[in-house]
Amino acid sequence: MNTRAVASLVGTALLISACGGTTKSDVARQQSSAPSAASSSTANPNAPIKQGLKIAFLPKQVNNPYFTIADRGGSDAGKEFGAEVKEVGPSDANASSQVSYINTLVQQKQDAIVISANDPNAVVPALKQAMDAGIKVVSYDSDSGQDGRHLFINQAGAEDLGRTEVQLLAQQIGSKGKIAILSATPNATNQNTWIDFMKDELKKYPDMELVKVAYGNDDDQKSFTETQGLLRSYPDLKGIISPTTVGIAAAARYLSSSSYKGKVKLTGLGTPNQLRKFVKDGTIDGFELWSPGDLGYLAGYAAAALASGQITGAEGEKFKAGRLGEYTVGAKGEVLLGKPTVFTKDNVDEFDF
């Protein structure tokens, strides 16, 4: 992706945190839990990034197109500051499938672990052991419990994302009709938080009815089957929101070859290369996403800044992330990448990722 496209992607549209259903009480609990596990040492913003750092990316699942792009961005960052960056992880997205990988990375004495948590709680004990061993922990895309990491690299504000996806679909269906959500896993932190805000935003649209939240487990075939099931159960469905890159692609594939094409609107989170043909053939009017490559790139620099002592994870600290510029650590150790872009037939060809 060219520099102009990157700049446009990081700086345009409007919202978020792809590639499971939370309640308001769950969000409040997360926000009121222990502060991020910042080191008690003093940050030195002028410290150079250490050479030869070992940084491991642990996505929800390997061979997922979204995480392949994101982790490649982390690898690109590592090349810039002289680190050894690798990707490891499970082929499934089950709640506890990442724990054994964390334990192995601790034994390998990695300098930093960058994780997208399948379950916010299941990974915390293992991550705490990693932190006790001196390993810096950065979550990205989907947060772990706050006491299991130093920083969370968030795509953007979760509330913005949840609300704007409802707004996008409302525009496409005239703010009227039955809709469904096709999510990833039931325990996915980011998915659940977005869905909670979607439900709240739907209160502004009394003629739109959420009839079901389905889960494709970020598996292509299951997501395809779940889409088929939604249409069989609700033949008068007007729209589907799928806030997962695997789910939206599978749903688009089903709709594009069915009698529902053009009748059932689909939006959510996906990549331009993945969904371009479905935008051009009319299956999808518009969808949104941030740059997954930039997300991984930022997470890589954040991990290096922690491991080099430039920051500890405390609110207000600043660090530089290569071509993306300077970032500030926010409350609870959160760092926001920026706002995603809405992709339509008018701009989808301007992006290549």
Side-chain angles (χ1 to χ4, degrees), residues 183-200:
S183 188
T185 60
N187 296 317
T189 319
N190 53 351
Q191 303 281 326
N192 286 343
T193 306
W194 301 338
I195 291 171
D196 184 61
F197 284 116
M198 289 181 198
K199 291 177 178 178
D200 191 63

Side-chain angles (χ1 to χ4, degrees), residues 150-172:
H150 296 88
L151 290 177
F152 171 41
I153 309 303
N154 199 346
Q155 299 90 322
E159 180 173 0
D160 283 340
L161 179 66
R163 294 188 187 284
T164 54
E165 289 198 63
V166 170
Q167 293 163 13
L168 273 174
L169 186 59
Q171 293 171 9
Q172 296 168 10

Side-chain angles (χ1 to χ4, degrees), residues 193-228:
T193 306
W194 301 338
I195 291 171
D196 184 61
F197 284 116
M198 289 181 198
K199 291 177 178 178
D200 191 63
E201 183 67 16
L202 280 168
K203 295 176 182 177
K204 302 176 182 177
Y205 299 89
D207 294 326
M208 288 174 64
E209 178 188 0
L210 176 62
V211 294
K212 186 174 182 178
V213 178
Y215 300 97
N217 291 341
D218 260 356
D219 176 82
D220 177 77
Q221 188 54 49
K222 181 168 175 53
S223 297
F224 184 92
T225 302
E226 288 292 331
T227 303
Q228 185 180 46

Side-chain angles (χ1 to χ4, degrees), residues 207-266:
D207 294 326
M208 288 174 64
E209 178 188 0
L210 176 62
V211 294
K212 186 174 182 178
V213 178
Y215 300 97
N217 291 341
D218 260 356
D219 176 82
D220 177 77
Q221 188 54 49
K222 181 168 175 53
S223 297
F224 184 92
T225 302
E226 288 292 331
T227 303
Q228 185 180 46
L230 284 171
L231 274 302
R232 287 179 176 175
S233 298
Y234 306 97
D236 56 346
L237 201 67
K238 294 299 182 182
I240 299 173
I241 298 173
S242 187
T244 158
T245 57
V246 175
I248 193 174
R253 196 170 76 252
Y254 176 79
L255 290 173
S256 68
S257 59
S258 76
S259 60
Y260 295 102
K261 179 180 177 180
K263 299 177 182 178
V264 177
K265 299 298 183 179
L266 173 65

Side-chain angles (χ1 to χ4, degrees), residues 285-353:
D285 290 344
F287 65 97
E288 60 190 9
L289 194 70
W290 52 92
S291 167
D294 285 352
L295 182 68
Y297 182 90
L298 176 57
Y301 264 96
L306 282 166
S308 301
Q310 292 180 348
I311 58 175
T312 65
E315 183 175 358
E317 292 177 340
K318 299 179 184 296
F319 67 98
K320 293 181 179 179
R323 58 177 168 75
L324 296 181
E326 187 176 76
Y327 282 81
T328 301
V329 179
K332 303 178 180 68
E334 183 178 56
V335 178
L336 295 179
L337 171 64
K339 296 180 178 180
T341 293
V342 175
F343 302 98
T344 68
K345 64 181 180 180
D346 295 328
N347 69 351
V348 70
D349 283 336
E350 298 175 12
F351 302 90
D352 183 18
F353 68 89

Side-chain angles (χ1 to χ4, degrees), residues 7 25 85 106-107 110-111 119 123 142 144 204 209 216 232-233 241 243 250 286 323 328 335:
S25 60
V85 178
V106 172
Q107 294 172 1
Q110 297 291 310
D111 293 295
D119 185 290
V123 294
S142 183
S144 69
K204 302 176 182 177
E209 178 188 0
R232 287 179 176 175
S233 298
I241 298 173
R323 58 177 168 75
T328 301
V335 178

